[in-house]
DNA sequence: CTGAAAGCGCTTACAG
DNA sequence: CTGAAAGCGCTTACAG
């Protein structure tokens, strides 16, 4: 590459210390010298080497983020929120894809630690989080997002999945809806379990009948949403009020509907967790329990930066953000 | 943080040079010393500081990627391809969001350069790319993805949008389809222009009549796909064979269909660029011109690493990957 | 096969 | 206000 602080110093006839001070906006520098140095900086097109800077300052101004899937809109929306906030504060972000494996998640964290990131945001891939302890060992701040984890204490930002689902269900029940069905995620997934509990609790609270065959679990991906929707819709008495536990299973369900609309009971109503592009295109009435996705990311970033800056109050702090209900009518 | 190569050296009774050689798998080290060092490494839980390593070795083993939107599935699929390949080769990736602005793209590149990335992959936000020259100035390899740019020469990986669209159109025309419509992207967007040209060329080649009101342009986002679809479907004689120029506009179009299915001519057929989750749920017959999205990412990464490793043959190399046609029937 | 030593490009007490 | 100098944690010729 090339031009270093030394070159600038020589050209400007000052010491490297002075150049360093100028580029770091140290205020006890004569306007005159500052001008001179800056001119040379731009003439030589000098760019600071942040690697060298980090080695000295022990701060990389970089934050790591580990996600279970990198091409998942939900996680990337969170990442956008994170990046927005970090960008405002002069930090940047390394994203690593754990590909839904605890082992790769561990490798990702190790990599980030070796890269000397100042802190780590992780959306855990699996329920167990004991491997995350190495982040604490490295004394690096960490914030969990979307999911909590067993065997590992940490700050976290997420929503109250159980309460949100519970309240949506109560409203539906109290509005007179019956014949419920549930398309959930594997209960090993933290949010899937919470959402299922909310569903269940409302059913029990109001003592509403529930056909056990109408409760089924998939893997949070589109295909299983399709398959389970198919199974439910093709059962002898299909459910009429469906709670679908996440966005991707919901789009799988919509996909089924788009092919087999004639099989669908006219009274069908679909409630779903998450509200994104496709949440409203099912063509059947429904509602979405919307998470403040961007805000989750921003809050996680904000909390992490506070920890990085040394704030250690109220640890661990679990922040539950509010959801809200969006209803989808059809034309 | 803590334990450095010095601590390991002291504990193991060797020099730091030896420790360095062990952790870098230098082969001229006695198995005995190697063992001893390794034991101390794991006992002290030593982790290499890659910042220090990079400063010395002048290689960060990190690649930067600049995308126009970070929560865009298409770009993130490309990113997944990139990351997959990089991961295999021991590299990691910093993703920066240019938020569709040339200015922020420039800032992103500058940031990456300051972070001493070994190379940069950019999906350009805008048509002009003169600001990218600073990558060449910094002697860093760069690969463009998905779009070419004016005023900047570079390796690139993309598909032949014009040819792909042209051939799909020719097939449709030759299969007897008529009454065409086109929902395109702003022609300032590289791919939008190419796709429009392919459409146009087929129409002219076969001398097929085309109602100019049936050709319209939006911004590649869902909302404009919805709006344009609405406009077309509500025109006096709606088109019956539609070419939609990208995925997001297509989902906007599908959205319109899901609300106003009764307005849709029964003979409607929709061809679209890209094939992702939702490309097949329109409920009307159609086809997708599928780009090998992951492969685009992998190839871009591979080309970049080759350049990083010093291969400078056939520069600039524009690699056009093949597309293929997927047809969507309805049930 | 191993070590002493220089140096990567910065920052920052410490002096003055 | 500015500079000389040490040092961040590594790697790597150069010796031996």
């Amino acid at each position: 590459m090339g031009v270093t602080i030394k070159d600038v110093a020589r050209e400007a006839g000052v010491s490297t210390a002075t150049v360093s001070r100028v580029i770091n906006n140290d205020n006890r520098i004569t306007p005159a010298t500052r001008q001179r140095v800056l001119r040379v900086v731009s003439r030589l097109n000098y760019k600071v080497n942040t690697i060298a800077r980090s080695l000295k300052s022990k701060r990389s101004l970089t934050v790591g983020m580990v996600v279970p899937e990198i091409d998942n809109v939900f996680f990337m929306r969170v990442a956008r929120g994170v990046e927005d906030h970090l960008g405002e504060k002069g930090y940047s972000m390394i994203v690593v894809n754990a590909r839904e494996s605890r082992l790769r998640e561990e490798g990702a964290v190790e990599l980030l630690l070796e890269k000397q990131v100042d802190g780590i945001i992780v959306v855990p891939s699996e329920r167990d989080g004991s491997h995350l302890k190495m982040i604490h060992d490295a004394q690096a701040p960490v914030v969990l997002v979307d999911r909590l984890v067993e065997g590992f204490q940490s700050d976290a930002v997420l929503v109250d999945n159980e309460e949100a689902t519970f309240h949506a269900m109560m409203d539906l029940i109290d509005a007179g809806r019956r014949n419920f069905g549930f398309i959930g995620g594997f209960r090993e997934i933290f949010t899937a379990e919470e959402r299922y509990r909310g569903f269940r609790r409302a059913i029990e609270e109001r003592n509403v009948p529930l056909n056990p065959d109408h409760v089924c679990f998939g893997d949070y991906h589109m295909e299983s949403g399709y398959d389970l929707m198919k199974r439910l819709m093709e059962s002898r008495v299909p459910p009429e009020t469906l709670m679908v536990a996440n966005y991707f299973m919901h789009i799988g369900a919509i996909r089924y509907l788009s092919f087999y609309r004639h099989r669908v009971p006219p009274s069908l109503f679909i409630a779903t967790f998450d509200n994104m592009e496709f949440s409203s295109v099912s063509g059947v009435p429904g509602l979405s329990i919307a998470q403040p996705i961007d805000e989750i990311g921003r809050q996680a970033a904000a909390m992490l930066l506070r920890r990085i800056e040394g704030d250690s109050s109220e640890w661990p702090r679990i922040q539950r953000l509010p959801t809200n209900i969006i209803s989808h009518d059809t034309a």
Side-chain angles (χ1 to χ4, degrees), chain A:
Chain A
M1 308 262 163
V3 25
T4 74
I5 209 174
K6 251 186 200 161
D7 304 313
V8 177
R10 188 178 0 85
E11 290 289 306
V14 297
S15 72
T16 59
T18 300
V19 177
S20 172
R21 289 188 186 110
V22 169
I23 62 182
N24 289 294
N25 293 311
D26 189 315
N27 46 4
R28 43 193 185 153
I29 291 278
T30 316
T33 13
R34 152 176 234 80
Q35 274 313 311
R36 192 145 41 92
V37 170
L38 252 20
R39 229 187 295 281
V40 177
V41 161
S42 84
R43 178 158 60 80
L44 301 187
N45 193 25
Y46 168 75
K47 301 258 181 288
V48 66
N49 179 331
T50 58
I51 298 248
R53 172 181 283 174
S54 299
L55 181 59
K56 189 89 249 269
S57 68
K58 308 288 208 174
R59 310 193 57 193
S60 62
L61 296 180
T62 302
V63 157
M65 178 164 185
V66 185
V67 294
E69 294 176 297
I70 199 172
D71 55 339
N72 174 308
V73 226
F74 179 80
F75 299 136
M76 283 304 111
R77 281 262 173 102
V78 176
R80 184 179 66 179
V82 169
E83 217 224 14
D84 282 353
H85 186 85
L86 291 181
E88 287 165 15
K89 303 294 183 178
Y91 280 75
S92 49
M93 171 176 79
I94 300 185
V95 186
V96 193
N97 183 3
R99 286 181 282 162
E100 309 194 84
S101 136
R102 200 198 108 114
L103 199 70
R104 274 187 294 258
E105 185 171 292
E106 187 168 353
V109 166
E110 194 155 1
L111 177 82
L112 291 170
L113 257 13
E114 288 179 350
K115 295 234 171 216
Q116 311 297 119
V117 295
D118 295 332
I120 299 184
I121 290 177
V122 10
V123 184
S125 281
E126 296 183 18
R127 194 108 198 213
D128 177 78
S130 47
H131 57 297
L132 298 176
K133 281 185 186 133
M134 74 173 132
I135 309 179
H136 288 337
D137 294 345
Q139 323 247 46
V142 53
V143 174
L144 259 32
V145 165
D146 187 51
R147 307 170 179 181
L148 298 178
V149 109
E150 278 156 21
F152 178 72
Q153 291 243 53
S154 161
D155 290 331
V157 180
L158 66 167
V159 300
D160 194 328
N161 296 279
E162 179 173 342
E163 281 302 304
T165 312
F166 174 75
H167 283 118
M169 282 292 297
M170 292 297 276
D171 288 352
L172 291 173
I173 296 171
D174 293 345
R177 298 217 58 100
R178 286 298 178 277
N179 197 4
F180 285 90
F182 185 78
I183 295 183
F186 288 139
R187 295 176 62 185
E188 288 71 39
I189 303 173
F190 177 83
T191 54
E193 171 67 14
E194 286 203 335
R195 292 167 195 178
Y196 176 62
R197 284 219 194 111
F199 171 80
R200 196 86 222 177
R201 189 146 66 81
I203 293 283
E204 280 157 12
E205 176 110 358
R206 285 289 187 262
N207 207 10
V208 165
L210 176 67
N211 179 343
D213 293 345
H214 289 171
V215 174
C216 48
F217 300 92
D219 65 3
Y220 261 14
H221 286 106
M222 188 178 70
E223 292 70 23
S224 73
Y226 182 96
D227 294 343
L228 296 174
M229 187 66 173
K230 181 175 163 70
R231 192 207 291 174
L232 290 180
M233 289 300 116
E234 295 177 2
S235 64
R236 237 165 335 134
V237 187
E240 292 167 292
T241 310
L242 222 49
M243 171 63 73
V244 183
N246 91 334
Y247 178 69
F248 299 98
M249 300 189 74
H250 183 220
I251 66 186
I254 293 174
R255 216 169 169 184
Y256 174 84
L257 292 179
S258 78
F259 294 142
Y260 300 99
R261 197 162 296 262
H262 53 283
R263 294 235 180 103
V264 174
S267 55
L268 185 65
F269 181 99
I270 305 184
T272 175
F273 224 92
D274 300 327
N275 186 57
M276 295 196 278
E277 285 87 341
F278 270 97
S279 301
S280 61
V281 306
S282 65
V284 316
L287 64 81
S288 295
I289 302 171
Q291 306 190 55
I293 311 184
D294 283 62
E295 197 53 25
I296 290 175
R298 298 183 69 89
Q299 291 293 334
M303 190 179 292
L304 189 71
L305 293 191
R306 253 181 273 122
R307 296 306 189 194
I308 288 173
E309 252 112 61
D311 173 0
S312 56
S313 58
E314 313 175 49
W315 186 91
R317 183 144 173 243
I318 311 291
Q319 203 180 337
R320 297 265 189 178
L321 265 35
T323 53
N324 67 309
I325 304 261
I326 312 243
S327 70
H328 305 300
D329 302 317
T330 45

